[in-house]
């Protein structure tokens, strides 16, 4: 069995290091227990879907292998009328909401394009034994070059047709400022480009440590197949995710060295989070 959780960051003292080892083992054991409870039909799978982080693909490849909400695994006409759709769930309500929703669905998705409107994600009781959580992480510059789904092409022009002025406007927009970090931080006030406080990065790391599985979009097909096998889900391994297009690098696609360097600086905390998250990934791409 392979868990998404590996050793936490190395600390400077022997006692802290020993504590970190213990914590890592506890979380790994917790992932194994939750996986078994899911296979027994007791645990609910919740995908934290950051927009443009392959959440729609996850829904079609994993969510549709069992009962799930009709609309993008989030909501729809089959969502029970007496269950509120607000998320994330507060800590005190997590167990009751998880067990209630599990009676109807094997998997649901919570999608965010910014900081969650009804409370921070860290407030949910991710440790609850019947809550199996998963998140797909993606390189920030690849995300901001993803196919449009939130109106950016209408505002800033299609990627291949953008003028220099449109590129710079997009680079300075909400969509290009530590996008994933905004969703995952436990603090308000994120983000401020290259000057983003490191507390947001550290808070997001702490949240990722609490989740059951972390997947890396850069090897999504392999990650989904491994994930499906762990959960005894029968997948068509030959179908693929449809995301393995051959793209030039982000640097090549942006086509402007000054702009590229600016985006790297502006999103440095988000990039640090993504690179760090690889240490937790189910598959090391």
């Amino acid at each position: 069995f392979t868990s998404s959780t590996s050793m936490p960051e190395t600390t400077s003292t022997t006692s802290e290091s020993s504590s970190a080892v213990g914590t890592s083992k506890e979380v790994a054991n917790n992932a194994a227990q939750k996986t078994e409870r899911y296979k027994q039909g007791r645990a609910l799978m919740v995908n934290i879907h950051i927009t443009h982080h392959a959440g729609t693909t996850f829904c079609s490849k994993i969510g549709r292998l069992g009962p799930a909400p009709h609309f993008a695994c989030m909501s729809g006409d089959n969502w029970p009328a007496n269950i509120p759709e607000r998320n994330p769930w507060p800590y005190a309500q997590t167990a009751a909401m998880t067990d209630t929703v599990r009676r109807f669905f094997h998997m649901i998705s919570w999608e965010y394009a910014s900081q969650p409107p009804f409370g921070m994600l860290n407030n949910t009781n991710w440790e609850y034994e019947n809550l199996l959580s998963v998140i797909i992480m993606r390189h920030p510059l690849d995300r901001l070059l993803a196919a449009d789904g939130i109106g950016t092409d209408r505002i800033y022009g299609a990627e291949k047709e953008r003028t220099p002025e449109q590129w710079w406007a997009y680079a300075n927009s909400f969509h290009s400022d530590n996008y994933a970090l905004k969703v995952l931080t436990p603090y308000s006030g994120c983000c401020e480009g290259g000057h983003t406080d490191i507390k947001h990065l550290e808070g997001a790391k702490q949240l990722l440590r609490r989740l059951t599985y972390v997947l890396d979009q850069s090897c999504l097909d392999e990650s989904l197949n491994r994930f499906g096998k762990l959960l005894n889900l029968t997948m068509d391994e030959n179908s693929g995710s449809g995301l393995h297009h051959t793209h030039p690098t982000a640097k090549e696609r942006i086509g402007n060295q000054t702009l590229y360097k600016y985006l790297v600086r502006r999103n440095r905390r988000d990039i640090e989070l993504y690179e760090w998250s690889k240490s937790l990934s189910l598959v090391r791409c």
Side-chain angles (χ1 to χ4, degrees), residues 3 5-9 11 15-31 127 205-206 209-211 280:
S3 167
T5 307
S6 62
M7 195 72 65
E9 293 175 298
T11 51
S15 60
E16 287 176 331
S17 179
S18 298
S19 175
V21 171
T23 300
S24 179
K25 289 180 178 178
E26 289 172 8
V27 176
N29 290 337
N30 194 33
E127 290 73 28
K205 286 181 179 180
Q206 189 58 41
R209 289 189 185 100
R210 298 174 60 200
L211 303 182
L280 305 183

Side-chain angles (χ1 to χ4, degrees), residues 66-125:
H70 286 163
F71 177 70
C73 296
M74 295 188 296
S75 61
D77 56 9
N78 65 333
W79 186 272
N82 62 330
I83 300 178
E85 296 184 47
R86 288 170 55 129
N87 57 72
W89 296 327
Y91 192 94
Q93 298 176 17
T94 299
M97 288 296 294
T98 299
D99 293 342
T100 299
V101 173
R102 185 62 184 88
R103 289 169 23 216
F104 301 92
F105 307 120
H106 86 110
M107 175 268 180
I108 63 172
S109 181
W110 296 347
E111 182 176 7
Y112 305 106
S114 61
Q115 199 164 69
F118 300 115
M120 305 296 194
L121 281 164
N122 70 303
N123 292 331
T124 296
N125 181 7

Side-chain angles (χ1 to χ4, degrees), residues 175-197:
H175 307 292
S176 302
D177 183 6
N178 296 282
Y179 195 93
L181 200 58
K182 283 192 183 80
V183 175
L184 302 175
T185 178
Y187 306 106
S188 60
C190 188
C191 297
E192 298 179 272
H195 302 290
T196 297
D197 195 312

Side-chain angles (χ1 to χ4, degrees), residues 49-53 111-114 143-156 162 170 173-176 179:
H49 173 193
I50 299 171
T51 300
H52 288 328
H53 279 224
E111 182 176 7
Y112 305 106
S114 61
R143 187 215 59 78
L144 68 86
L145 293 172
D148 177 69
I150 51 176
T152 53
D153 285 2
R154 293 194 302 272
I155 300 171
Y156 306 105
R162 279 183 196 141
Y170 185 39
S173 72
F174 167 89
H175 307 292
S176 302
Y179 195 93

Side-chain angles (χ1 to χ4, degrees), residues 169-283:
Y170 185 39
N172 284 291
S173 72
F174 167 89
H175 307 292
S176 302
D177 183 6
N178 296 282
Y179 195 93
L181 200 58
K182 283 192 183 80
V183 175
L184 302 175
T185 178
Y187 306 106
S188 60
C190 188
C191 297
E192 298 179 272
H195 302 290
T196 297
D197 195 312
I198 196 172
K199 71 179 183 181
H200 297 294
L201 171 62
E202 296 304 324
K205 286 181 179 180
Q206 189 58 41
L207 173 63
L208 291 184
R209 289 189 185 100
R210 298 174 60 200
L211 303 182
T212 317
Y213 288 102
V214 175
L215 308 184
D216 188 340
Q217 191 272 344
S218 67
C219 56
L220 188 61
D221 284 346
E222 184 180 357
S223 297
L224 291 180
N225 286 332
R226 176 84 64 84
F227 182 74
K229 287 178 180 178
L230 288 176
L231 274 64
N232 284 354
L233 295 172
T234 303
M235 299 178 61
D236 181 0
E237 295 187 16
N238 297 317
S239 66
S241 67
L243 293 182
H244 277 214
H245 310 299
T246 301
H247 280 306
T249 65
K251 186 176 183 180
E252 291 169 335
R253 291 172 69 183
I254 291 169
N256 181 310
Q257 183 78 356
T258 302
L259 177 60
Y260 173 78
K261 289 182 177 180
Y262 175 79
L263 284 168
V264 170
R265 289 195 304 271
R266 180 169 164 82
N267 291 278
R268 70 186 185 98
R269 295 299 189 200
D270 221 355
I271 293 171
E272 289 176 46
L273 178 64
Y274 170 70
E275 295 297 340
W276 175 86
S277 75
K278 290 176 175 289
S279 67
L280 305 183
S281 294
L282 179 63
V283 175

